[in-house]
Amino acid sequence: MIYKHDEIERFKHQLQESVVVCADRCLYNATKWSAELLDGVKEGTLDLSNQYGHQHTTTGYDASLPSVNELEYNKYQYAKALFHMRQYENASYILRGMENPKLKFLRLYAKYLAGEKRKEEQTQEILGSADNSLTENPELNSIYDELRTAYDENQTMDAFCLYLYGIILRKRGDNQLAASVLLQSLKKYECNWSAWMELGTLVLNKKMFYDLQKLLDAKMTGSLIKNLFLARLALELHLPHQFYSDIMTPLTAIFPDSTYIKAQWAISFYDTMDYNESEVLFDDLRRSNPYRLEDMDVFSNLLYLKDSKEKLSVLAHQCDRIDKFRPETCCIVANYYSIKREIPLSIEYFKRALKLNRNYHWVWTLLGHDYIEMKNANAAIECYRRATDYNPRDFRAWYGLGQAYEVLKLPYYATYYYQKATDLRPHDPRMWQALGGCYEALGRHNESLDCFRRVNECDKDGRHNALIQLARIFDKMERPNAAARYYLRAIEKYETEEYDGIEVAESGLRLGRYMFSKNRLGDAERYAKIALGYSFPYHDEAQTLLDEIKNKRISTFET
């Protein structure tokens, strides 16, 4: 796909307008996203004349709303100043009785955030006696009643009141109506990135994604922000990398210097376990803006997986110096202590991150991993459950729940959670291997075979020894011919890759025994000799088999 010049110009103008419109409504994340994207637009499309700023002081969206009188304007500016100081209740109070759409949204949004703040204050201790994951925002019902009345009576609601109503509906569990309302909001004003992110939380699986994509493609043809949203959602749902790349490559050409787009590419390679390419992109991102902390938590996790202690140490110290009270910084420092095996300190910093952002699902999952390390399976389960509550698409949390129940010797429960993980990551051999191991522990050999066949299909690097796992299962099922076929395939694979693990010796012995039972003594001797070079018990068993072959030959010759 190649975007035309007028499409690019239209999107640039939309972003420039959204910086003003979203900032006026104190939607800081949406404002920052638009501004960050604009900052990365290719220079050839920019108007570098000194008069440019004077031409863009008003917005088309605000011009479509009822005008603000002097009284409303003064109230709005006062409330906005209070909002900036996080005095949400005061801001909402100042705007009481104001029905202009712009003021109404700010009043209700400030009230919503006041409730969120009180909710967090009631549950400050992470996993402590006062920590209750069911605690609700005390302002939800009153905001819901006001917005529902307006919506049901077909009163005119602007895009931002619809956006807030969508949030409230999702919090109340009415996901279907929430999705409909959010789509109405985006139809009225499509460049509110926060509304797109809210809509994204309602898409829980691939079928829902493709249904939404079909709907959006029909109703929002040529929308660049829609494509940016679909690319991000495809990444979060772990769709094939090629799908993501097809959407993002043309957009990257428009915004080659965008730190947001660079970060998304880095995360996409991290998601596909191409860690080296991901690290290169994160390094480039750090060079282009060393003070940007967004997505550095993902980078820290990448460095942890690569066991890059020194590099993670440098990242942790730099982020701590920039802003030690950012949730991302606390997460990065926690990963630093985790890689040093100082797990109690790691847990403390993960909890600090959660105190700053209770919805930080990534950290709930990592905290669960730490509790697994500490052999505290019950605490780990609670953490993983919180992670799936905040983001049911987090396959790592579902996988962690499976691991925790395996630690508790409850493989039947573990299979349920591993199945959830495979649904989200059907091309990840680790998920299928874990599920196959559980089925094997339960004696459900046919299901286990299916899983390890999937491991073999997905395992491009051959790191999971699926062939020998399949052979072992056929052995347990007393199907020696099928087992021998897989042992033979394993031997051929190991010879090709020059692999030298004990699986080679096991395959050799098993094949040797099988050939011996078929009276193919030459083949039996050849495979038995493969295991001779290995330590106990393989060397001894191989020698025993060779002696049996020798004796059988003598016996046959004498006969």
Side-chain angles (χ1 to χ4, degrees), residues 286 310-323 329 332-333 336-337 340:
R286 292 286 293 160
E310 291 185 9
K311 201 165 181 178
L312 183 49
S313 172
V314 171
L315 179 65
H317 283 91
Q318 287 177 344
C319 293
D320 189 68
R321 181 176 57 82
I322 293 166
D323 188 347
T329 297
I332 293 162
V333 173
Y336 166 64
Y337 282 119
K340 291 174 65 182

Side-chain angles (χ1 to χ4, degrees), residues 174-187:
D174 194 346
N175 290 355
Q176 188 169 355
L177 183 55
S180 175
V181 169
L182 288 167
L183 285 168
Q184 291 174 54
S185 170
L186 289 165
K187 186 177 180 181

Side-chain angles (χ1 to χ4, degrees), residues 242-406:
Q242 190 58 49
F243 181 94
Y244 171 84
S245 181
D246 288 345
I247 298 176
M248 283 298 285
T249 299
L251 291 165
T252 306
I254 303 171
F255 301 98
D257 299 319
S258 167
T259 51
Y260 168 79
I261 287 181
K262 286 181 182 178
Q264 289 295 289
W265 277 109
I267 293 169
S268 74
F269 285 112
Y270 170 82
D271 188 63
T272 56
M273 293 184 287
D274 189 347
Y275 296 146
N276 291 333
E277 185 64 26
S278 180
E279 185 176 3
V280 168
L281 291 172
F282 272 121
D283 285 337
D284 181 53
L285 188 62
R286 292 286 293 160
R287 283 190 295 270
S288 62
N289 187 347
Y291 298 98
R292 185 184 189 273
L293 297 184
E294 289 84 353
D295 306 309
M296 289 302 107
D297 49 354
V298 183
F299 188 27
S300 73
N301 212 44
L302 167 64
L303 296 175
Y304 175 87
L305 292 172
K306 294 192 71 175
D307 200 32
S308 300
K309 293 184 178 69
E310 291 185 9
K311 201 165 181 178
L312 183 49
S313 172
V314 171
L315 179 65
H317 283 91
Q318 287 177 344
C319 293
D320 189 68
R321 181 176 57 82
I322 293 166
D323 188 347
K324 64 173 60 182
F325 297 112
R326 277 279 291 274
E328 294 91 342
T329 297
C330 294
C331 176
I332 293 162
V333 173
N335 272 331
Y336 166 64
Y337 282 119
S338 191
I339 205 172
K340 291 174 65 182
R341 314 310 303 157
E342 297 180 25
I343 304 300
L345 274 174
S346 174
I347 287 173
E348 178 61 32
Y349 271 92
F350 280 136
K351 286 184 174 181
R352 289 187 190 183
L354 290 169
K355 285 181 181 179
L356 293 165
N357 180 3
R358 188 65 62 123
N359 302 333
Y360 203 165
H361 72 89
W362 178 274
V363 169
W364 280 113
T365 300
L366 295 177
L367 182 57
H369 293 347
D370 271 2
Y371 277 123
I372 287 288
E373 288 285 324
M374 297 286 284
K375 311 298 183 187
N376 189 344
N378 291 322
I381 286 170
E382 179 61 23
C383 292
Y384 292 136
R385 288 194 188 282
R386 298 285 185 93
T388 58
D389 286 344
Y390 289 120
N391 182 8
R393 301 174 306 208
D394 185 354
F395 79 93
R396 297 171 184 86
W398 293 112
Y399 181 79
L401 279 166
Q403 284 185 308
Y405 279 104
E406 273 200 287

Side-chain angles (χ1 to χ4, degrees), residues 16-163:
Q16 289 157 354
E17 179 184 83
S18 73
V19 171
V20 177
V21 171
C22 294
D24 275 351
R25 287 156 180 82
C26 300
L27 294 174
Y28 302 129
N29 287 332
T31 304
K32 175 192 165 294
W33 182 85
S34 295
E36 184 176 38
L37 204 59
L38 273 172
D39 188 53
V41 71
K42 61 182 178 181
E43 194 169 304
T45 66
L46 296 174
D47 179 356
L48 300 179
S49 69
N50 293 331
Q51 299 299 313
Y52 184 79
H54 298 292
Q55 300 165 10
H56 294 78
T57 55
T58 60
T59 68
Y61 177 74
D62 281 331
S64 69
L65 300 177
S67 59
V68 176
N69 62 38
E70 187 174 0
L71 172 65
E72 290 171 330
Y73 178 80
N74 293 341
K75 291 279 189 184
Y76 164 73
Q77 292 296 344
Y78 182 22
K80 188 176 173 185
L82 292 169
F83 194 104
H84 288 164
M85 298 176 70
R86 294 174 56 86
Q87 296 182 25
Y88 302 128
E89 285 181 296
N90 199 357
S92 181
Y93 179 77
I94 293 299
L95 294 174
R96 68 194 185 283
M98 297 291 168
E99 291 300 321
N100 181 281
K102 191 171 181 179
L103 279 67
K104 182 177 180 178
F105 170 76
L106 192 59
R107 170 172 60 82
L108 293 174
Y109 186 49
K111 189 175 184 180
Y112 168 75
L113 290 182
E116 289 291 293
K117 186 180 176 184
R118 284 210 300 279
K119 182 180 80 170
E120 289 181 7
E121 288 169 352
Q122 291 172 13
T123 57
Q124 272 299 293
E125 188 180 357
I126 302 298
L127 299 180
S129 57
D131 185 13
N132 182 0
S133 63
L134 301 177
T135 302
E136 289 188 354
N137 182 328
E139 302 292 350
L140 278 187
N141 288 337
S142 62
I143 301 171
Y144 169 72
D145 289 341
E146 183 172 346
L147 291 174
R148 182 193 61 178
T149 300
Y151 187 79
D152 290 349
E153 295 178 359
N154 293 320
Q155 297 176 18
T156 302
M157 294 176 69
D158 80 326
F160 293 92
C161 281
L162 286 167
Y163 157 64

